[in-house]
Amino acid sequence: MRRRIPPRLTDRLATATLYLVSGAFVVLLLAFVGYFLYKGRSELDFRFLTTAPAFSTAGGGIGPQLFNSVYLVFLSGLISVPLGVAAGIYLAEYAKPGRLTDFLRLSIETLSSLPSIVIGLFGLLVFVTLTGWKFTLMGGALAVTILNLPVIARTSEDAVRSVPASIKEGSLALGATHWQTIARVLVPAAVPGIVTGVILASGRAFGEAATLLYTAGMSSPRLDFTNWNPLSATSPLNPFRPAETLAVYIWKINSEGLVPDARQIADGASAVLILSVLAFNLLARFVSRLLGRRFGGTRT
Amino acid sequence: MFARKNLALAGTLLLAAALLLAGCTPAPSATSASVSGTLLVVGSSALQPLAQKASELFAVANPDATVTVQGGGSGTGLTQVASGTCDIGDSDVFAAEKLDAATAATLVDHKVCVVGFAAVVSPDVTVTSLTQQQLIDIFTGKTTNWKDVGGADEKIVLINRPASSGTRAAFKKYALNGAEEATGVALTEDSSGTVRSTVAGTPGSISYLAFSYLDSSIKALSFDGVAPTAANVAAGTYGIWSYEHMYTKGEATGVAAAFIVYMTGDAFKASISSLGYIPISDMAVSR
Amino acid sequence: MPNPMARKTLGRINRTYWKHEGLGRATVTVAGLFLSVLTLLMAGFLAVKGLSTFLVDHRSPLEFLFSTKWSPDADTPAFGALIFIVGSILLSTLALLISTPFSLSTAVFVSEISPDLGRNILQPAIEIFVGIPSVVYGWIGLSVLVPFLRKSFGGLGFSLLAGSLVLALMIFPTIASLSADAFRALPADFREASYALGATRWQTIRKVLLPAAMPGILTGVVLGLARAFGEALAVQMVIGNMIRIPGKLTDATVNLTSIITMDMGNTAMGTPWNDVLWTMALLLLLISFLFIVLARMTGRKRRAVR
C-alpha cells in the first residue's frame, strides 16, 4: 500500500476539503436567495402581493395566485398527511419482511420517481376528465397528493424507526398493545421528524408547476375575497374552481405572457416563492423544536 | 394526557380526510351544475391572452356569466372540446390537421381573429429583410452563414418551435412554403416567450414569433421586402398569417355563442389590435 | 418485530383488541396498501396509454427503441425515440457523476465532521434547495448558466453540460440527505473500534464508514438518478432541445421529458404522435423501475456480505 503522505496530513486535507465543499454549498444557496431578492426587490411590496394580475398592462400583482398556492398546499396536506403518515407507520411497525413489503417499498420508490408531468397527465384524465370536475383546485390538490405521498410515507417511516427501541419496549412491557404503543409513544416521539417531512413535501407542492398545468389549470376565475361561502363559484374557498398557483403563473408569464413587465413579475414572484420556502422551513424548525421539547423530552 | 388528545385529533383529521375523499367522488354538482352561465375555454396558448382579455371584458357586460380561459395547447383544446370536457376549444390550426376526420367533423369552426407571424433575429444581426427563398434556405440548413444573405460573417443559429406547435405549422406553411426544415441543427424552444428571450440572448440567431410577441429585445424581419405589420397583413401584402379558431362541439349555444359573438364584435376590435392580433373584419383577403 | 406480550394480545380477538389494536392496525395497513394500489393504477394507466403505439397504431417496438429517425409530422411519420433515450441517459449519468462527490462530501461533513453545523446550517440549506421549484432552477440556468457557458466554452451555451449541471444541483439534496442518513444510522461501535485501532478520522470514514454505509448511499444515488431522469421543466429550458445525439459536452441535446412536455399539449389524444409520447412516459417508468430494482439487489448483496 502506498503511504507516502502521513495519515494525519491526509486527514487534515480531507477535513479541509469537506469544509470547503460544504461551505461552497451554503454560499451557493445564499447566492441563489440573494440573486432573487435583488432581482425582485422592486416588486416586493404589499400591493404586488395582494392585487390581481393584469392581462396586458404593466403593474399586475399576484394576490390570487399566492392564495391559491397556500390553499392548494393546505388541501393536499389534508389528504396526504394522514394517509402518508399512516403508511409510514405501517412500514415501520407492521410490515413484515417479505414479498408484500418488498413490493410496497418498490411501489413507493417507483411512485416517487415518476416524472411530475406524467402525474399531471394522469390527473388530467382522472381528476379532470373522468370525474367531470374540469380544471379544479381539488384536482390539483389530489395530483400533488400523489406526488407527495411517497415523500411523507418515507420520512414518517424513518422518523418512527429512529425512536429508540428502549422507549418502545418500555411501553410494551407496561402492557400496552402494539397500536397503543405506536399511538401514544412512538408517533409523539417521532413528531419532529414527521413534521420536517411534511414541511419538505409542502414546499415541493408549493413550487410544483408541471403537475398543476394539467389539473388545477392556468387560470383563475374572478375571486371575490369577501365571499367566504365555499360553495359559491367566485368564493376563494371553493375547492372546485380552476386555480392558477404561483409557480404555474411564473411558468406561464415566462412562456406565453403578454404583459410588458413579465420579467419583473417573474422576478418578484420567484422571490416570493423562495421567501415562502424559507418561511416554511423556519416554521417547520420552530414547530418541530417546540414539539420535540414537548413530546421528545424522554428521549435520551 | 396530551398525547391522547393529540391522537384523538389525528384520528378525527384522518376521518375527515377520508370523508372528504369519499364525499368528493360523485361529482361536485353543488358548484358546477347549479350555476348557469359558466363557460370553459381551453387550448391554444397563442390565443390564450386574447381570450383571457375578452373574458375579463365579457364579465363586465355579463356579470352572471363566468368565463374561464385555460391554456394547454391546441391539441389539448381540440381533444377536450371533442370529448365534451370544455365548451370551446382554441386552436391555431384547422381541427382536421390535428384530429381524425370523423372527430373533426363534429366540431364547428369559429374564426375569431387573424395572427401574423414574423421571422425574428437577435439584435446583432444586420440583415433587415429576407426573401422567401432565403428563409427556406436558412431553415432547411442550406444557408448557414449570415454573410450569404447580405449580413456579417456570422454563423446562423436556428431556433425552432416543437414540431407540434401551431406557430411552427403556420410558419412552415406560409413562410417556408411547406419546405421540410433541417433536422438536428436547430434548437427547439417550447414557447413563444422562451423563443423571444433565447433569440434576444443568442448572437446570430433566427426564429419566428406571432406579432403579439414582438418587442424591442429582438428584430422582426421584412418578408420579400414587406414589413411585418398588421396593416400589411390586412391589406394582403404580407403573407405569413393564419386564423385563430374557436371550436365548439356542434353549433355554439348559450354563453359560448354569446362569448364568440363578443370576441368577433366591434366592441372588442380595439383590444384585438392593441394585443397584436388582427380583427377578421379588417382583412381585405381571406383563405 | 411484535414482542411476545403484544403477540399474546394479538391472539385474543375481542372488542378490546379491536379498540386498542385492530382498528389502528387496519387503518395504517389500508393506507400502506393504498400506496401500492396507487402505483399499480398509475403503472396500468401508463401501460394502457403507452402500449397503444404498438397495439393500436401497429408501430414496431424495435423502431421505437432503436431508430434515430424522428419525423412525426412528415407524410409517412417515423417515431424512433433512440435520440431521446440516449439524451436522457447521458444527461442523468453526467449529472450523477458531477453531483455524487459533492453530495457525499456534504453527507460526510454533516454526519461525521461537524454534526452541529450540519444540523443548524447544512440541513436547512439542503431542505431549502429541495423546496426551490424546478421552474426557478431552469430560469436561473437560462439567465445565468447558459450565457456563462457560451462565454467560457463557446458554442451556444444550451448544452448537455448546462443540463447536467442544473440536474446535478437538483439531485444534490436527495443524494446528500439520504447518504447522511446512511452514515448516521451506522452504530457508534464502528467508529470507536476504528479509532481504537489508531486510525485517523479520514481513514475511519474511508475504510470503515463509507463501505458500511454503501447500501444507503446507493439508495440515495438511485433516487437521485430517478429524479434526474424524470425532471422536465428545468432541463428542457437549458439543453436547447436539438434533435440529435450530442457529440461533445457543449452540444445541444434533447431528452425524453423535454419532448414529452413540448409536444404533449399540442397533439391530440389518440393520435399516433400523442400515443408515442405516452410510450416514452411508460419507458421512463420502466427505466426508473429497473434502476430501483438494480439498486436494491446491490444493496442486499452488500448487506449479506456484511
Side-chain angles (χ1 to χ4, degrees):
Chain A
M1 274 189 19
R2 48 163 189 101
R3 268 280 160 267
R4 245 170 266 148
I5 312 165
R8 218 143 282 284
L9 185 61
T10 330
D11 187 53
R12 290 254 170 80
L13 279 175
T15 308
T17 314
L18 290 175
Y19 262 96
L20 205 69
V21 170
S22 310
F25 177 64
V26 175
V27 170
L28 191 64
L29 178 72
L30 291 178
F32 246 74
V33 176
Y35 177 83
F36 277 106
L37 290 189
Y38 177 75
K39 286 279 215 173
R41 71 195 180 287
S42 58
E43 291 288 345
L44 289 180
D45 54 27
F46 187 69
R47 185 200 58 77
F48 181 65
L49 293 181
T50 50
T51 52
F55 290 114
S56 55
T57 49
I62 55 165
Q65 282 79 10
L66 192 59
F67 176 84
N68 287 342
S69 296
V70 174
Y71 194 34
L72 188 120
V73 167
F74 171 75
L75 273 183
S76 124
L78 227 49
I79 307 159
S80 61
V81 171
L83 213 55
V85 171
I89 293 171
Y90 173 75
L91 279 170
E93 290 298 318
Y94 286 115
K96 296 189 194 71
R99 288 263 161 83
L100 185 71
T101 307
D102 268 357
F103 177 71
L104 182 54
R105 275 177 209 288
L106 197 62
S107 300
I108 291 181
E109 283 174 22
T110 314
L111 206 56
S112 69
S113 72
L114 274 181
S116 49
I117 180 160
V118 169
I119 295 177
L121 292 161
F122 177 77
L124 175 66
L125 282 195
V126 177
F127 305 131
V128 177
T129 311
L130 206 66
T131 55
W133 297 351
K134 303 183 175 174
F135 294 95
T136 58
L137 196 73
M138 185 49 99
L142 289 175
V144 164
T145 299
I146 299 183
L147 202 69
N148 277 346
L149 266 179
V151 184
I152 297 181
R154 247 196 88 88
T155 44
S156 305
E157 183 194 350
D158 288 349
V160 172
R161 265 186 208 283
S162 65
V163 175
S166 55
I167 295 184
K168 182 178 166 187
E169 280 151 16
S171 167
L172 291 171
L174 287 173
T177 67
H178 195 179
W179 174 253
Q180 284 168 329
T181 305
I182 292 170
R184 294 186 201 164
V185 181
L186 296 183
V187 172
V191 157
I194 293 175
V195 168
T196 310
V198 168
I199 297 289
L200 280 179
S202 307
R204 195 173 167 196
F206 203 77
E208 179 55 37
T211 310
L212 295 175
L213 294 180
Y214 294 98
T215 50
M218 285 189 267
S219 57
S220 197
R222 286 168 299 144
L223 293 184
D224 177 4
F225 276 92
T226 55
N227 180 354
W228 296 102
N229 170 15
L231 296 180
S232 153
T234 55
S235 166
L237 285 185
N238 182 356
F240 292 100
R241 61 178 174 88
E244 178 181 55
T245 65
L246 202 52
V248 171
Y249 186 56
I250 294 179
W251 181 86
K252 187 176 92 182
I253 211 163
N254 264 329
S255 52
E256 308 285 356
L258 279 185
V259 284
D261 56 347
R263 196 74 196 210
Q264 288 90 305
I265 292 177
D267 279 330
S270 303
V272 171
L273 214 53
I274 291 202
L275 282 181
S276 310
V277 171
L278 274 172
F280 262 100
N281 249 277
L282 289 178
L283 185 77
R285 288 190 171 265
F286 178 71
V287 172
S288 154
R289 198 160 291 173
L290 206 71
L291 294 174
R293 212 172 287 150
R294 188 160 279 169
F295 297 124
T298 48
R299 269 169 124 172
T300 42
Chain B
M1 243 9 227
F2 194 94
R4 183 190 297 233
K5 228 183 262 165
N6 200 62
L7 178 72
L9 190 74
T12 320
L13 271 179
L14 201 118
L15 199 71
L19 279 176
L20 187 71
L21 206 62
C24 289
T25 329
S29 49
T31 54
S32 53
S34 67
V35 185
S36 63
T38 60
L39 175 67
L40 180 62
V41 183
V42 178
S44 161
S45 43
L47 187 54
Q48 192 189 355
L50 187 68
Q52 210 153 43
K53 180 79 189 172
S55 77
E56 195 186 33
L57 297 174
F58 185 73
V60 176
N62 307 274
D64 289 334
T66 312
V67 180
T68 308
V69 180
Q70 168 76 32
S74 303
T76 306
L78 289 170
T79 313
Q80 296 220 356
V81 73
S83 68
T85 316
C86 68
D87 309 299
I88 294 180
D90 294 347
S91 175
D92 303 332
V93 296
F94 288 96
E97 294 174 36
K98 294 267 182 200
L99 302 169
D100 58 88
T103 318
T106 65
L107 302 179
V108 176
D109 183 9
H110 308 269
K111 300 186 178 102
V112 290
C113 67
V114 163
V115 64
F117 302 94
V120 294
V121 293
S122 54
D124 66 306
V125 174
T126 52
V127 174
T128 56
S129 177
L130 288 173
T131 65
Q132 181 165 42
Q133 194 52 49
Q134 284 173 325
L135 263 186
I136 293 174
D137 286 347
I138 289 174
F139 276 91
T140 51
K142 237 183 258 168
T143 306
T144 56
N145 196 307
W146 283 112
K147 70 173 186 230
D148 297 332
V149 289
D153 182 8
E154 185 179 19
K155 214 173 137 1
I156 297 177
V157 179
L158 284 178
I159 297 170
N160 244 331
R161 291 288 302 279
S164 54
S165 139
T167 304
R168 173 159 164 180
F171 190 78
K172 182 172 168 182
K173 194 163 169 190
Y174 301 116
L176 304 181
N177 215 359
E180 203 58 51
E181 302 105 311
T183 50
V185 294
L187 298 176
T188 313
E189 288 301 333
D190 191 19
S191 61
S192 303
T194 40
V195 163
R196 184 171 59 192
S197 52
T198 309
V199 171
T202 311
S205 58
I206 182 167
S207 188
Y208 40 86
L209 282 173
F211 285 2
S212 41
Y213 288 96
L214 298 181
D215 69 6
S216 57
S217 68
I218 44 162
K219 243 170 65 178
L221 299 183
S222 295
F223 179 64
D224 282 334
V226 184
T229 62
N232 288 341
V233 170
T237 48
Y238 184 89
I240 319 175
W241 57 269
S242 73
Y243 291 110
E244 286 292 342
H245 309 262
M246 282 191 164
Y247 279 94
T248 49
K249 195 178 172 89
E251 281 303 330
T253 53
V255 194
F259 185 65
I260 292 173
V261 167
Y262 181 80
M263 275 205 80
T264 47
D266 286 342
F268 193 57
K269 262 176 84 168
S271 301
I272 294 184
S273 302
S274 73
L275 283 174
Y277 302 83
I278 302 150
I280 299 257
S281 53
D282 284 0
M283 296 294 292
V285 287
S286 66
R287 281 190 178 124
Chain C
M1 283 288 156
N3 100 340
M5 197 79 110
R7 257 192 202 291
K8 209 175 280 170
T9 327
L10 268 173
R12 282 178 26 226
I13 299 179
N14 54 30
R15 205 168 274 171
T16 330
Y17 163 74
W18 179 247
K19 190 171 154 208
H20 292 303
E21 176 68 23
L23 180 63
R25 183 175 183 154
T27 312
V28 296
T29 310
V30 167
L33 292 179
F34 175 75
L35 274 180
S36 289
V37 172
L38 192 63
T39 312
L40 283 179
L41 265 177
M42 302 269 316
F45 156 80
L46 271 179
V48 169
K49 296 285 302 172
L51 289 177
S52 55
T53 298
F54 312 124
L55 302 179
V56 180
D57 307 322
H58 303 292
R59 315 225 40 122
S60 139
L62 291 179
E63 179 205 351
F64 173 76
L65 284 176
F66 299 112
S67 161
T68 57
K69 194 164 164 45
W70 172 258
S71 45
D73 54 343
D75 294 332
T76 44
F79 296 109
L82 185 64
I83 295 180
F84 310 109
I85 298 171
V86 170
S88 276
I89 293 174
L90 282 178
L91 275 166
S92 24
T93 318
L94 262 174
L96 208 60
L97 287 180
I98 300 170
S99 191
T100 309
F102 293 104
S103 318
L104 272 186
S105 306
T106 310
V108 169
F109 184 87
V110 167
S111 59
E112 306 300 324
I113 308 278
S114 177
D116 271 349
L117 281 181
R119 197 169 38 247
N120 296 321
I121 296 179
L122 277 165
Q123 199 68 38
I126 290 174
E127 284 166 16
I128 291 166
F129 262 98
V130 173
I132 296 178
S134 55
V135 189
V136 173
Y137 277 111
W139 195 50
I140 282 253
L142 189 65
S143 51
V144 181
L145 185 64
V146 168
F148 172 76
L149 290 177
R150 182 163 56 223
K151 274 193 207 102
S152 21
F153 297 103
L156 298 171
F158 294 95
S159 56
L160 183 58
L161 186 61
S164 311
L165 284 173
V166 168
L167 273 182
L169 190 59
M170 294 184 75
I171 62 176
F172 178 96
T174 313
I175 304 182
S177 55
L178 288 176
S179 306
D181 287 348
F183 279 111
R184 279 202 209 100
L186 297 175
D189 316 5
F190 282 30
R191 294 175 189 94
E192 282 152 18
S194 173
Y195 288 141
L197 289 172
T200 63
R201 182 163 65 183
W202 178 241
Q203 284 169 328
T204 306
I205 291 170
R206 220 171 65 103
K207 302 271 159 98
V208 180
L209 302 181
L210 196 60
M214 201 43 94
I217 295 173
L218 276 179
T219 312
V221 167
V222 163
L223 289 183
L225 194 66
R227 181 158 188 208
F229 243 93
E231 177 49 45
L233 294 179
V235 186
Q236 187 239 29
M237 286 166 89
V238 299
I239 56 175
N241 308 309
M242 196 181 278
I243 303 182
R244 62 150 189 219
I245 293 176
K248 51 182 191 296
L249 277 180
T250 51
D251 276 355
T253 183
V254 68
N255 70 350
L256 288 168
T257 46
S258 292
I259 195 75
I260 295 177
T261 25
M262 285 194 303
D263 281 349
M264 193 59 98
N266 285 323
T267 51
M269 280 228 183
T271 55
W273 191 348
N274 188 269
D275 286 343
V276 84
L277 298 174
W278 284 103
T279 312
M280 290 185 200
L282 177 65
L283 187 70
L284 277 178
L285 178 76
L286 289 179
I287 294 175
S288 345
F289 189 75
L290 191 79
F291 275 128
I292 290 166
V293 171
L294 265 178
R296 295 168 137 253
M297 280 162 67
T298 37
R300 197 170 299 147
K301 204 175 282 166
R302 289 205 173 248
R303 224 168 270 142
V305 169
R306 242 205 291 149

